[in-house]
Amino acid sequence: MTTDRTPLRTEGEMGTNGETEIEFQVRESKTALVCGVLAIGFALFILLLRMLRPSAGGGGAFLYAPLLCMVLGGVLCLMLYCNRSLTVRDRKICYVNLMQRERRFTLDEIGFCKMEAAGNEGRMVLCDLCGSKLCKLDFGMRGMAEFYQYLLDNGVETAWDRGRAGRHDSLGAALLALGRETSVCAEEIRGCAERFYEDAERAFRAWEARNERFEAVWEIGFAEYTADDTGRRCRPWERESSAPEEMKEIPESYECVLEAYLKRKDGYVVDSRGEAVMILLPYLARTRSYRIGEKTRIRKTDEQSLQEWLEGRLALLARELPRRRYHTETFALRHRLRPSAGLRERP
């Protein structure tokens, strides 16, 4: 999912009421700007050629009507890019439409939001407590993922047209995955992680049993990182973890990933580009919360979605391995893989 998540204020800034201030904006994507400029530019180019060669055949309504439509379409795209936006400041929301008309409402006035198809893309329709429409936003707008997270964190009900919404566009599918995330407290992490590890391990061991001809096994476990670890540019197996060995509390920036590396007797399996054959499943992360008065939240990815993706990836690997060239390399993981995650007791 590629979205523009650039809040106007950092999460550490505090409002005058002592709560963490939330402020960000949803705007049209740059696609509208590019389309508008290209449409107007192409129409002017054709008109210029016509003026330079007035003796050429054709003209009249057959020429100028399509050019006029192109210019009007380009102007419409530019107006969308410049005018249409939604601004969030804590509980206050301001929507500006194509014609620069404002509509102001608060988070408490939102009854629910509908996610539905609109052509080949998807859109979100915000409705008030009576079911009347407040505004419409397209999935492709910059900041949509951030706004959807804001709605989820503050308990706004979401209704999905599951048969259509998100089917044509990857961002719609990503938003649907966001809606399946759950919030957990620090004390719940260990139990959740151990249960998911058991389910994932069964899938890996079943794959090994079905594909004995590869003579390969999976080394799996949870890796725990902080923002300083994930911010470094390196290959996953070279990443070091600065998470405390005896974790008495979850760090402010925390990420837990289930990692799996394919091994043979003489080392790790590596492809022709030097990349290890591996599977990474982001499971838990402590990130900024968009709930009013809450600074951070520990988010857990839906286990069923991860399990379905894992089984699909394992099936694909079983087909790919015989078709490509692989070799083995001996290296040591620079971080520890564990069968559990979260708070740990002293040994």
Side-chain angles (χ1 to χ4, degrees):
M1 176 172 53
T2 55
T3 56
D4 183 10
R5 298 174 66 104
T6 53
L8 301 182
R9 293 180 186 266
T10 61
E11 64 179 85
E13 291 194 38
M14 306 295 288
T16 56
N17 58 0
E19 297 181 347
T20 302
E21 189 167 340
I22 298 171
E23 186 172 353
F24 62 92
Q25 196 170 55
V26 181
R27 297 192 62 86
E28 282 291 337
S29 69
K30 292 185 178 180
T31 303
L33 175 63
V34 173
C35 290
V37 171
L38 289 178
I40 295 174
F42 186 69
L44 294 178
F45 175 73
I46 298 298
L47 184 60
L48 179 61
L49 289 181
R50 175 64 179 171
M51 293 174 62
L52 293 176
R53 302 191 61 179
S55 59
F62 292 102
L63 173 65
Y64 298 115
L67 291 181
L68 179 61
C69 291
M70 290 179 64
V71 171
L72 292 177
V75 170
L76 180 64
C77 288
L78 293 180
M79 290 177 64
L80 274 173
Y81 179 78
C82 296
N83 296 344
R84 192 182 182 202
S85 67
L86 181 140
T87 304
V88 177
R89 290 186 177 89
D90 290 333
R91 290 186 173 273
K92 298 178 181 179
I93 301 171
C94 177
Y95 174 73
V96 181
N97 69 7
L98 171 68
M99 305 305 295
Q100 288 190 318
R101 292 179 181 173
E102 292 186 357
R103 180 159 194 176
R104 297 180 181 272
F105 51 95
T106 65
L107 177 65
D108 298 327
E109 294 178 65
I110 301 175
F112 62 96
C113 69
K114 295 187 295 185
M115 313 294 269
E116 57 187 34
N120 290 328
E121 296 184 353
R123 67 184 177 192
M124 172 193 290
V125 181
L126 289 183
C127 300
D128 62 17
L129 299 173
C130 297
S132 301
K133 184 182 70 176
L134 291 171
C135 67
K136 290 189 298 186
L137 302 169
D138 298 326
F139 284 179
M141 296 178 71
R142 292 177 292 162
M144 266 297 295
E146 190 172 15
F147 181 61
Y148 186 50
Q149 192 73 75
Y150 169 82
L151 295 177
L152 292 175
D153 286 0
N154 287 284
V156 175
E157 181 182 351
T158 302
W160 277 88
D161 180 0
R162 296 180 183 273
R164 300 175 65 194
R167 186 180 62 184
H168 299 294
D169 111 20
S170 58
L171 182 56
L175 292 177
L176 183 58
L178 274 182
R180 292 173 176 167
E181 288 182 347
T182 55
S183 176
V184 296
C185 64
E187 292 73 20
E188 294 176 303
I189 293 177
R190 189 182 184 94
C192 293
E194 289 176 351
R195 288 191 294 272
F196 177 60
Y197 179 86
E198 292 176 0
D199 294 338
E201 187 181 31
R202 279 195 291 269
F204 282 110
R205 302 311 172 212
W207 184 92
E208 293 170 0
R210 290 193 304 268
N211 299 279
E212 290 183 348
R213 66 188 187 279
F214 298 144
E215 298 180 351
V217 297
W218 289 96
E219 179 181 352
I220 67 174
F222 288 106
E224 296 171 290
Y225 303 107
T226 65
D228 292 337
D229 306 327
T230 55
R232 300 190 187 102
R233 282 192 171 186
C234 62
R235 293 178 292 189
W237 59 92
E238 296 175 341
R239 181 169 292 138
E240 298 179 354
S241 173
S242 60
E245 193 70 20
E246 296 180 0
M247 194 177 296
K248 299 179 181 179
E249 60 182 19
I250 302 301
E252 282 292 313
S253 59
Y254 172 79
E255 185 174 351
C256 174
V257 182
L258 182 70
E259 300 185 356
Y261 298 87
L262 191 62
K263 298 179 66 177
R264 300 190 68 182
K265 293 180 181 179
D266 49 351
Y268 292 91
V269 180
V270 177
D271 63 18
S272 58
R273 296 175 298 176
E275 296 291 333
V277 177
M278 60 189 174
I279 293 177
L280 306 180
L281 298 175
Y283 182 57
L284 281 160
R286 186 171 192 170
T287 61
R288 174 187 181 181
S289 174
Y290 290 90
R291 186 176 180 85
I292 307 301
E294 184 180 61
K295 185 179 180 182
T296 62
R297 175 172 291 203
I298 302 174
R299 307 182 191 278
K300 178 174 66 68
T301 308
D302 177 59
E303 287 93 345
Q304 182 179 350
S305 300
L306 287 178
Q307 194 75 21
E308 291 173 357
W309 186 91
L310 173 60
E311 292 174 358
R313 178 59 181 159
L314 288 172
L316 180 62
L317 270 176
R319 296 192 297 269
E320 285 183 347
L321 287 174
R323 301 174 185 173
R324 300 184 181 181
R325 301 184 65 178
Y326 295 89
H327 62 280
T328 57
E329 289 186 8
T330 302
F331 56 79
L333 296 179
R334 297 188 181 179
H335 54 268
R336 185 173 176 181
L337 297 183
R338 305 173 185 271
S340 64
L343 302 179
R344 291 184 282 274
E345 299 176 355
R346 290 181 178 272

